[in-house]
Amino acid sequence: MAVELKGLPKARAKRGPWSTPCAAHDCRACEIRGLTFCAGLDENEVATLSSISRRMHFAKRHIIFQEGDSADVVYNVTKGAVRLFKLTPDGRRQVTGFLLPGDFLGLGSRKGYAYGAEAITEVELCRFERDKLETLFESHRGLERRLFEIANDELAVAQDQMLLLGRKTAKERMASFLLKLSEREELRGGRDGAVYLPMVQEDIADYLGLTIETVSRTISQLKRDGLIRQSSSHEFELLSTEGLEDISEPM
Amino acid sequence: MAVELKGLPKARAKRGPWSTPCAAHDCRACEIRGLTFCAGLDENEVATLSSISRRMHFAKRHIIFQEGDSADVVYNVTKGAVRLFKLTPDGRRQVTGFLLPGDFLGLGSRKGYAYGAEAITEVELCRFERDKLETLFESHRGLERRLFEIANDELAVAQDQMLLLGRKTAKERMASFLLKLSEREELRGGRDGAVYLPMVQEDIADYLGLTIETVSRTISQLKRDGLIRQSSSHEFELLSTEGLEDISEPM
DNA sequence: CGCTTAATTGACACGCCTCAATAAAGGTGG
DNA sequence: CCACCTTTATTGAGGCGTGTCAATTAAGCG
């Protein structure tokens, strides 16, 4: 592969104007109950969780944490979008995931986070200190089991992504990407076939192991082929889910 | 990427001549205590674990489980090597990992394993039924925590691999691969700089997102450059770890 | 409105893939 | 231990998908 050399990691992320720790939040009124790792907890457990959670705001482009930071805080995304990424010393970037409302953020070993996390849009997070959370595990086993479940799901997603990066063409990658995002939106109650892409094409490129030019060209091609339509700058419509599936999983 | 089309998934794996469930095994005499998920358990816990474990043998090329199989058994590799893989409908394969003695096998959600597992060599496994294991969690919290830790580590490894597959050149991939294997052997007490590769080049190619030809050429080049030497068919020597590191993590 | 950032498109280059031929290694039976 | 066959590895020649470079347009934002 001919690699895109971008020079040393530019100050891609400026510390945003604000990152506000807000007052403790009432989890029972949470916008995304049922999606997140709080899902399946009883009233009592949610109340306990509420007592150790804290709402945070981050501005667009704010770096929430860097790869290698000690992993003693975990979050739940309640609003906005986050990208996870890794960098090579010479500045190449691999985006390893995008987080949307309801997603969990902060899995990591005692060696620290294996990836950085950065706000794509203005973001609202529910913050938990890890050791406080682990104290809760003692009395609320379901919480620990839920976290383990999340880690397992993440692992499955990561393996799908390895297949995509190692063995799929640009067109297949793009189709897979759009379909997966669409599925995630459906779980969140979005309209069927409508996909909101909060990230820029550079993010998509770094996620799919491509360049921005190839991403752009591939999107253009999918449009020409009548498989997708762009309703606004960040809003797409999947005109043929079947067609995209045929592309993403070639027989 | 121009993709190697291999035709439909060939009967790559014939059921081996034997897959023997042996009698319950005494974990306390285990070859790989300290490496595996049993690590850090006390005598009492190991004894309990022993009571629910069963030794298994699998012949080379035996498929231990397929992607999608219900994930109600987990294993510990005690001897030999295992490859994990995913397949596209048209037969392209992505190897998502190699397991060596001491490695844990069988992380997966209730949706089933996200990958298949196949014996590369003759393999010996320590088998645990998942629900029996989960019963043990009640009384032995450390075990559950250890599994969660393993899942977290796996996730970090997966993300490294995404960076490799999405953003590294063939030479960088090969150097990274050799170094990582070498590190794993050191943990197992192997000689420094000597690497045993139980897998064939097709496995390496499918792991690194390359073709067998590119793998072969890249190995040849690393030999020419004096960075590695082949002591026997599956045994390599890393002549310059530094040189390989410079290649694998370009500045 | 003016500036900056993001997206698009074309022309060309190149790293890796494809196809093909040959050599080497491994496995099996006598 | 050798003869035979299959599998695996090596190497070359050429093609192609995606990267690179560059110019232009569109979008975002104060």
Side-chain angles (χ1 to χ4, degrees):
Chain A
M1 186 184 75
V3 159
E4 181 193 20
L5 293 174
K6 293 172 186 154
L8 289 178
K10 287 171 289 219
R12 221 191 276 269
K14 18 187 176 185
R15 286 279 159 181
W18 39 276
S19 74
T20 321
C22 297
H25 180 78
D26 185 356
C27 288
R28 282 166 300 186
C30 184
E31 305 88 316
I32 48 150
R33 280 282 309 276
L35 277 174
T36 181
F37 81 101
C38 321
L41 302 182
D42 60 39
E43 270 300 305
N44 172 32
E45 286 172 320
V46 171
T48 320
L49 205 56
S50 193
S51 71
I52 65 159
S53 82
R54 208 159 280 281
R55 254 326 149 87
M56 304 276 298
H57 286 274
F58 291 103
K60 189 169 171 171
R61 282 175 182 270
H62 188 97
I63 293 207
I64 300 162
F65 56 75
Q66 290 275 19
E67 176 176 352
D69 284 359
S70 77
D72 36 35
V73 184
V74 304
Y75 304 90
N76 229 354
V77 181
T78 55
K79 207 186 269 185
V82 173
R83 60 179 162 246
L84 310 181
F85 62 94
K86 291 178 77 81
L87 296 170
T88 60
D90 67 350
R92 279 172 273 174
R93 184 178 71 154
Q94 179 66 34
V95 170
T96 60
F98 295 112
L99 301 185
L100 301 176
D103 287 334
F104 183 83
L105 169 62
L107 286 174
S109 69
R110 300 260 165 233
K111 272 173 273 175
Y113 299 115
Y115 49 86
E118 184 177 352
I120 291 177
T121 63
E122 187 177 317
V123 156
E124 211 164 291
L125 299 174
C126 200
R127 176 197 153 108
F128 305 88
E129 282 169 47
R130 210 188 171 91
D131 44 12
K132 281 190 189 165
L133 202 59
E134 279 173 9
T135 308
L136 275 193
F137 289 170
E138 307 294 336
S139 45
H140 303 283
R141 305 289 311 282
L143 200 53
E144 184 167 26
R145 199 166 306 130
R146 180 81 188 95
L147 264 191
F148 184 53
E149 230 172 79
I150 288 175
N152 272 140
D153 290 343
E154 291 287 305
L155 211 46
V157 170
Q159 275 157 341
D160 279 343
Q161 192 67 2
M162 287 190 236
L163 176 61
L164 179 148
L165 291 170
R167 287 291 177 243
K168 289 189 180 179
T169 65
K171 202 170 166 185
E172 289 164 2
R173 293 179 199 202
M174 199 66 220
S176 304
F177 174 66
L178 290 170
L179 284 170
K180 197 162 281 186
L181 260 187
S182 164
E183 283 164 23
R184 287 171 74 182
E185 289 217 349
E186 272 180 56
L187 286 179
R188 287 171 176 76
R191 286 150 302 155
D192 191 20
V195 187
Y196 178 65
L197 300 168
M199 67 294 287
V200 296
Q201 290 190 8
E202 186 179 18
D203 293 329
I204 300 175
D206 287 348
Y207 181 60
L208 299 179
L210 302 169
T211 58
I212 48 176
E213 293 92 337
T214 299
V215 167
S216 177
R217 275 189 259 264
T218 308
I219 290 177
S220 297
Q221 194 190 346
L222 292 176
K223 283 180 190 167
R224 269 197 306 279
D225 296 350
L227 292 164
I228 62 175
R229 186 167 53 185
Q230 190 160 12
S231 18
S232 75
S233 70
H234 284 273
E235 192 94 36
F236 284 77
E237 216 176 314
L238 307 193
L239 299 176
S240 169
T241 311
E242 283 180 25
L244 290 170
E245 276 162 358
D246 289 347
I247 291 170
S248 73
E249 293 276 309
M251 299 299 289
Chain B
M1 185 184 74
V3 158
E4 181 193 20
L5 294 174
K6 292 170 184 155
L8 288 177
K10 286 172 288 218
R12 220 191 276 269
K14 21 187 175 186
R15 287 278 159 181
W18 38 275
S19 72
T20 321
C22 297
H25 180 75
D26 186 357
C27 288
R28 283 165 301 187
C30 184
E31 306 88 315
I32 49 148
R33 280 283 309 275
L35 275 175
T36 182
F37 81 102
C38 321
L41 302 182
D42 61 40
E43 271 299 306
N44 172 33
E45 287 172 320
V46 171
T48 318
L49 205 56
S50 193
S51 72
I52 66 158
S53 82
R54 209 159 279 282
R55 256 323 152 86
M56 305 275 299
H57 286 275
F58 291 104
K60 188 171 173 171
R61 283 175 182 269
H62 188 96
I63 293 209
I64 300 161
F65 56 75
Q66 291 274 19
E67 176 177 351
D69 285 1
S70 76
D72 36 34
V73 184
V74 304
Y75 304 90
N76 231 356
V77 181
T78 55
K79 206 187 270 185
V82 173
R83 60 180 162 245
L84 310 182
F85 62 94
K86 290 177 78 80
L87 296 170
T88 61
D90 68 349
R92 280 172 271 174
R93 185 178 70 155
Q94 179 66 35
V95 170
T96 60
F98 295 113
L99 302 185
L100 302 176
D103 288 335
F104 183 83
L105 167 63
L107 286 175
S109 69
R110 301 259 166 235
K111 273 172 272 175
Y113 300 115
Y115 48 86
E118 184 177 351
I120 291 178
T121 62
E122 185 178 318
V123 156
E124 211 164 290
L125 300 174
C126 201
R127 174 196 154 109
F128 305 88
E129 283 168 47
R130 209 186 171 92
D131 43 11
K132 281 190 190 166
L133 202 59
E134 278 172 9
T135 307
L136 274 193
F137 290 169
E138 307 295 334
S139 44
H140 303 281
R141 304 289 312 282
L143 200 52
E144 184 167 25
R145 198 165 306 130
R146 181 79 188 97
L147 263 191
F148 184 52
E149 230 173 77
I150 288 175
N152 272 140
D153 289 344
E154 291 287 305
L155 212 44
V157 170
Q159 275 157 342
D160 279 343
Q161 192 68 0
M162 287 189 235
L163 177 61
L164 180 148
L165 291 170
R167 288 291 178 241
K168 290 189 179 179
T169 65
K171 203 171 167 185
E172 290 164 1
R173 294 179 199 202
M174 200 66 219
S176 304
F177 174 66
L178 290 170
L179 284 170
K180 196 162 282 187
L181 259 187
S182 165
E183 283 164 23
R184 288 170 74 181
E185 289 216 349
E186 272 179 57
L187 287 179
R188 288 173 176 75
R191 287 149 302 154
D192 190 22
V195 187
Y196 178 65
L197 299 167
M199 69 293 288
V200 296
Q201 289 189 8
E202 186 178 18
D203 293 328
I204 299 175
D206 286 348
Y207 181 61
L208 299 180
L210 301 169
T211 58
I212 48 176
E213 293 93 336
T214 298
V215 167
S216 177
R217 275 187 259 264
T218 307
I219 290 176
S220 297
Q221 193 189 345
L222 292 176
K223 284 179 190 167
R224 270 197 306 279
D225 296 349
L227 292 164
I228 62 175
R229 186 168 51 187
Q230 190 159 12
S231 18
S232 75
S233 70
H234 284 274
E235 191 94 35
F236 285 77
E237 216 176 316
L238 308 192
L239 300 175
S240 169
T241 311
E242 284 180 25
L244 289 170
E245 276 162 358
D246 289 346
I247 291 171
S248 73
E249 292 277 310
M251 299 297 289

